[in-house]
Amino acid sequence: VRFSGSLFLIASGATLIVSGFAYDLTFAGLPYPDPTAEMQEIWIFHKRVSDRIILTGVAFFGVGCVWKAAQWTINLSKKQHKY
């Protein structure tokens, strides 16, 4: 199996999604029940970082899936028009 750019994007996206969830659990976690303003700021910062990692992963994964579907469609149409 050839490792194409679309598969690289799909794998990278999945890795980023899992990494974002791991970052969220490790650094942000659950919000504090009665935080000080400083604790709330730190929690919001880490939550935003994890959200951006996850959204980047979703974007990579989505682009990779669309790219792979386009490749599959083009290859299918080439096989049909070959005869």
Side-chain angles (χ1 to χ4, degrees), residues 2 8-9 13 18 23 26 28 34 37 40 42 51 53 58-59 65-66 68 70 75 77-78:
R2 247 181 24 170
F8 176 76
L9 282 175
V18 170
Y23 186 93
T26 305
D34 191 19
Q40 185 68 18
I42 293 169
D51 288 345
I53 294 170
V58 168
C65 288
V66 169
K68 190 65 180 172
N75 287 339
S77 67
K78 283 182 183 178

Side-chain angles (χ1 to χ4, degrees), residues 9-10 13-14 17 55-69:
L9 282 175
I10 292 170
I17 292 169
L55 286 176
T56 303
V58 168
F60 276 33
F61 190 83
V63 169
C65 288
V66 169
W67 187 0
K68 190 65 180 172

Side-chain angles (χ1 to χ4, degrees), residues 26-74:
T26 305
F27 294 103
L30 295 174
Y32 298 106
D34 191 19
T36 63
E38 183 182 352
M39 291 169 67
Q40 185 68 18
E41 249 180 67
I42 293 169
W43 182 82
I44 288 172
F45 170 76
H46 288 297
K47 187 67 177 164
R48 285 182 181 160
V49 169
S50 70
D51 288 345
R52 288 183 189 204
I53 294 170
I54 292 170
L55 286 176
T56 303
V58 168
F60 276 33
F61 190 83
V63 169
C65 288
V66 169
W67 187 0
K68 190 65 180 172
Q71 285 177 337
W72 181 78
T73 304
I74 290 169

